Amino acid sequence: MTTRSEPGQDGPDPGFDAVASERRRLTNVAYRLLGSLADAEDVVQETYARWYVLSPPEREAIESPGAWLTTVASRICLDLLRSARVRRERYVGEWIPEPLPDRAEWTGGRSDGATADPADRITLDESLNMAFLVVLESMTPAERVAFVLHDVFRYSFAEVAQIVGRTPAACRQLASSARRRIRASRTPATPLARQAEIVRDFKQAWEARDIAALIGLLDPDVTAIGDGGGLVSAELHPIEGSAQVARVLVDVTGEAPHLRIMERTVNGRPGLVAQLAGVTVTVMAFDTAGDRITRIWAVRNPAKLRPWTTA
């Protein structure tokens, strides 16, 4: 095994590779808990910093470094979620989770194969889509942590209890409450291939500024939400209704005639990316039911578009 020296040590650290290999899984967990890749990466960095603050004997006494790292990362996320509720009350406009491009590492899950309580299991792919992440935002921090760790990453409630600081029975109730929220928000699934066709038709109608075609692709009760974070222009409140959403979209292209719209995978689903002069200015995610678009999330906050400008 190739080893490296830990900070401040001259000799090799024989456990470095095993610990470093947890980074992908930790980022997966932290992103789903926080809805922000930047925050998730900060959490992972802080988790590793805490690991290397331990003395060699302290690290050797830890039976499962992976479990230790997950526990620490999840507790940091729990603290951040509690403070995030306050921060988002001061956020300018609507807050949307940070959209992610199509990258293979977002399919990595738990490495030990645990399969506790498989009922209502949420797949990793499903847990990445924007509609799912938006529902997670409606949960309490404890609900979100219990649900994501158990239903998505397959940790037992006994393990979750150690992280959340509650009993396994209480964690089971938290996950059950979260599960009810997920069920209430679900709509009949549209096959991905059909979703891609709908988004493509939407793109073409938008580029053509065809209001009638746009209205035909939008559910009558469609909701469109923009997130500019106060840094760029965006509607401060959701736009509702197919005619109103279509008119706003046409106005956007009228104000930016050189806007380039491209089909991209956004959080595992068909989406769109808009660029001006080669710079990504908007990433759009969609939710569909049948043959119509029911929800549109348009992220314009430049701080949330970093993965799309550095990919």
Side-chain angles (χ1 to χ4, degrees):
M1 177 188 297
T2 301
T3 59
R4 304 185 193 181
S5 296
E6 64 181 78
Q9 297 276 337
D10 294 329
D13 174 10
F16 177 88
D17 288 343
V19 172
S21 68
E22 298 291 328
R23 179 176 293 273
R24 178 184 297 180
R25 184 171 57 83
L26 293 174
T27 306
N28 265 281
V29 172
Y31 173 75
R32 286 166 175 82
L33 289 179
L34 301 175
S36 165
L37 179 59
D39 287 347
E41 291 173 339
D42 288 344
V43 165
V44 174
Q45 288 298 108
E46 173 63 19
T47 300
Y48 278 108
R50 294 187 187 186
W51 170 262
Y52 281 109
V53 164
L54 300 175
S55 66
E58 287 174 324
R59 292 200 295 270
E60 290 171 5
I62 295 173
E63 182 177 349
S64 173
W68 187 94
L69 291 167
T70 300
T71 297
V72 171
S74 298
R75 286 175 177 167
I76 295 172
C77 288
L78 186 57
D79 289 340
L80 286 174
L81 284 170
R82 287 166 176 156
S83 64
R85 294 175 77 87
V86 176
R87 293 200 312 272
R88 288 173 192 169
E89 289 176 358
R90 301 192 298 265
Y91 194 81
V92 178
E94 299 288 328
W95 192 94
I96 299 175
E98 183 179 324
L100 290 178
D102 186 20
R103 301 199 311 185
E105 57 261 40
W106 297 107
T107 61
R110 190 176 183 191
S111 58
D112 63 7
T115 56
D117 297 335
D120 296 304
R121 179 73 68 225
I122 302 295
T123 68
L124 279 169
D125 287 343
E126 182 182 1
S127 73
L128 193 62
N129 77 67
M130 188 63 75
F132 183 92
L133 292 173
V134 169
V135 177
L136 290 183
E137 287 296 315
S138 70
M139 300 178 185
T140 68
E143 278 180 334
R144 187 166 183 168
V145 172
F147 174 75
V148 168
L149 290 180
H150 177 265
D151 282 50
V152 179
F153 289 94
R154 306 182 181 184
Y155 285 86
S156 70
F157 284 120
E159 294 171 306
V160 175
Q162 293 178 353
I163 294 170
V164 178
R166 304 195 187 190
T167 65
C171 291
R172 187 182 296 275
Q173 290 182 342
L174 287 170
S176 179
S177 174
R179 208 173 291 131
R180 286 194 294 271
R181 293 178 189 256
I182 294 292
R183 287 173 182 155
S185 70
R186 277 178 169 161
T187 56
T190 302
L192 278 178
R194 180 58 186 142
Q195 289 181 43
E197 292 174 358
I198 295 169
V199 171
R200 184 175 299 115
D201 291 343
F202 173 89
K203 169 183 176 290
Q204 292 171 353
W206 188 16
E207 290 174 326
R209 304 180 66 190
D210 187 336
I211 288 182
L214 285 170
I215 291 175
L217 291 164
L218 298 171
D219 185 89
D221 297 320
V222 64
T223 299
I225 300 174
D227 178 349
L231 301 176
V232 297
S233 63
E235 295 290 336
L236 295 180
H237 304 288
I239 305 168
E240 299 180 345
S242 56
Q244 182 65 15
V245 170
R247 291 192 188 97
V248 170
L249 288 166
V250 168
D251 288 344
V252 167
T253 53
E255 295 170 1
H258 301 295
L259 193 70
R260 182 187 179 200
I261 305 168
M262 300 168 290
E263 296 175 46
R264 293 288 186 270
T265 298
V266 180
N267 286 70
R269 299 286 179 88
L272 297 176
V273 170
Q275 291 186 342
L276 276 175
V279 177
T280 297
V281 293
T282 305
V283 173
M284 301 178 72
F286 300 86
D287 199 16
T288 59
D291 291 330
R292 296 201 173 185
I293 294 168
T294 56
R295 285 179 288 182
I296 302 172
W297 296 278
V299 180
R300 304 201 68 240
N301 185 342
K304 294 184 178 183
L305 300 181
R306 181 175 55 88
W308 300 86
T309 57
T310 60

